[in-house]
């Protein structure tokens, strides 16, 4: 009898737990999207359902909020961050995982320490550096900052993927007459592909959602990123919740689309890479 009760409880409890988790995680997204389309967003209160459907908040953020330019700026910075961080971190990970050199352990420890430093502590020194290099109010300068912020995590993560690839696989490619570039492109790169995807997602989210550095380093509103663009809808005494939720929805969509595009590579694993190699 107790076994049947345990089985029944497990069958009922698991779906209930999954549903509760989905409600807990998806409700903020529902509230954001529904409020973005609610014509009475400012006075909605605690109503679960919107009073109607309107696109006026989206029209407002594009026409009067210049949000199209902010999204373009974020896209430029995000793409530059992904490309540079992925390439630099991959070669750095290969160096620390495959080659023995002096102070290799110290380099790894320093990478880890940099990752632990709070971002707020880096604002002033990075601001001074960007000012000295005359890269303030520049999308290039902001991209350099985001690349630097993404590299410690990316190097540490990719090092594990590179170290997990057996050296015998690379040696077999050399025996078959492959050059280093051919081995890298056909053997090593497919095997560390899931790691590159994971670090690319992290780099993109870092560049796309970051607020403090973008707000501090950019002087002209035409160089603002989307995360900073949302801030303009918060007033001193009141907040335009319709435009805030509409712009937040627009900021969330590219991250979701990017993850949907690349998430299958996360599940491909080392086996798929070995088949390609």
């Amino acid at each position: 009898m107790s076994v049947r009760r345990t089985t029944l409880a497990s069958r009922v409890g698991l779906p209930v737990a999954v549903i509760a988790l989905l409600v807990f995680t998806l409700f903020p997204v529902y509230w954001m999207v529904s409020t973005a389309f609610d014509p009475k967003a400012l006075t909605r209160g605690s109503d679960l359902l919107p009073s109607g459907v309107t696109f006026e908040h989206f029209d407002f953020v594009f026409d009067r909020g210049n949000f199209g330019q902010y999204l373009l700026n974020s896209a430029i910075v995000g793409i530059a961050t992904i490309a540079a961080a992925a390439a630099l971190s991959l070669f750095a990970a290969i160096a620390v995982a495959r080659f023995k050199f002096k102070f290799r352990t110290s380099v790894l420890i320093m990478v880890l320490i940099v990752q632990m430093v709070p971002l707020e502590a880096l604002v002033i020194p990075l601001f001074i550096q960007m000012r000295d290099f005359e890269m303030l109010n520049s999308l290039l300068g902001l991209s350099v900052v985001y690349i630097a912020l993404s590299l410690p995590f990316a190097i540490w993560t990719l090092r594990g993927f590179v170290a997990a690839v057996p050296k015998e696989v690379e040696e077999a490619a050399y025996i078959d007459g492959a050059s280093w570039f051919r081995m890298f492109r056909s053997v090593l790169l497919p095997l560390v592909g899931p790691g590159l995807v994971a670090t690319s997602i992290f780099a993109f989210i870092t560049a796309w959602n970051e607020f403090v550095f973008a707000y501090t380093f950019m002087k002209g509103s035409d160089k603002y990123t989307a995360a900073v663009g949302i801030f303009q809808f918060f007033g001193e005494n009141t907040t335009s919740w319709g435009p805030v939720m509409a712009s937040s929805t627009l900021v969330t969509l590219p991250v979701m689309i990017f993850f949907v595009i690349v998430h299958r590579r996360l599940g491909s694993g080392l086996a798929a890479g070995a088949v390609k190699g």
Side-chain angles (χ1 to χ4, degrees), residues 49-226:
L49 297 177
S51 59
V53 177
T54 182
F55 289 92
E56 63 180 8
H57 302 313
F58 292 93
D59 293 336
F60 180 86
V61 299
F62 279 114
D63 293 340
R64 299 184 59 182
N66 196 28
F67 212 73
Q69 182 63 47
Y70 301 152
L71 289 173
L72 178 60
N73 293 341
S74 291
I76 294 173
V77 172
I79 293 173
T81 302
I82 291 175
L88 293 175
S89 61
L90 178 57
F91 288 114
I94 293 174
V96 296
R98 281 290 186 261
F99 302 103
K100 294 182 179 181
F101 54 90
K102 195 174 183 180
F103 302 121
R104 183 178 67 167
T105 303
S106 301
V107 170
L108 291 174
I109 293 175
M110 288 300 299
V111 168
L112 189 59
I113 291 175
V114 171
Q115 182 65 28
M116 295 179 180
V117 176
L119 294 182
E120 293 78 7
L122 300 176
V123 174
I124 294 178
L126 287 177
F127 180 89
I128 295 174
Q129 284 186 324
M130 291 297 103
R131 183 196 61 189
D132 294 341
F133 289 131
E134 298 184 354
M135 298 182 71
L136 291 177
N137 199 36
S138 165
L139 295 180
L140 176 60
L142 190 62
S143 300
V144 171
V145 171
Y146 291 158
I147 292 167
L149 296 178
S150 303
L151 279 178
F153 171 83
I155 294 173
W156 192 264
T157 301
L158 285 176
R159 173 189 172 274
F161 279 88
V162 175
V165 177
K167 292 184 179 180
E168 291 76 11
V169 176
E170 300 178 15
E171 293 172 355
Y174 292 137
I175 293 174
D176 291 338
S179 62
W180 185 91
F181 179 78
R182 178 66 183 276
M183 183 281 300
F184 173 79
R185 180 176 60 86
S186 301
V187 178
L188 187 60
L189 188 59
L191 290 172
V192 300
L196 276 175
V197 172
T199 54
S200 297
I201 293 175
F202 172 80
F204 181 75
I205 293 177
T206 298
W208 188 263
N209 292 334
E210 202 282 324
F211 172 81
V212 176
F213 289 99
Y215 184 72
T216 305
F217 292 1
M218 297 303 175
K219 300 178 182 178
S221 60
D222 60 319
K223 297 295 181 63
Y224 283 166
T225 59

Side-chain angles (χ1 to χ4, degrees), residues 2-79:
S2 60
V3 176
R4 291 183 178 179
R5 289 180 179 178
T6 302
T7 304
L8 180 61
S10 61
R11 290 180 178 178
V12 175
L14 182 59
V16 171
V18 172
I19 292 173
L21 180 62
L22 289 176
V23 171
F24 181 77
T25 55
L26 294 180
F27 180 76
V29 179
Y30 161 75
W31 189 267
M32 176 185 67
V33 175
S34 60
T35 305
F37 289 97
D38 191 347
K40 298 181 180 180
L42 188 61
T43 59
R44 179 177 180 177
S46 59
D47 296 336
L48 292 179
L49 297 177
S51 59
V53 177
T54 182
F55 289 92
E56 63 180 8
H57 302 313
F58 292 93
D59 293 336
F60 180 86
V61 299
F62 279 114
D63 293 340
R64 299 184 59 182
N66 196 28
F67 212 73
Q69 182 63 47
Y70 301 152
L71 289 173
L72 178 60
N73 293 341
S74 291
I76 294 173
V77 172
I79 293 173

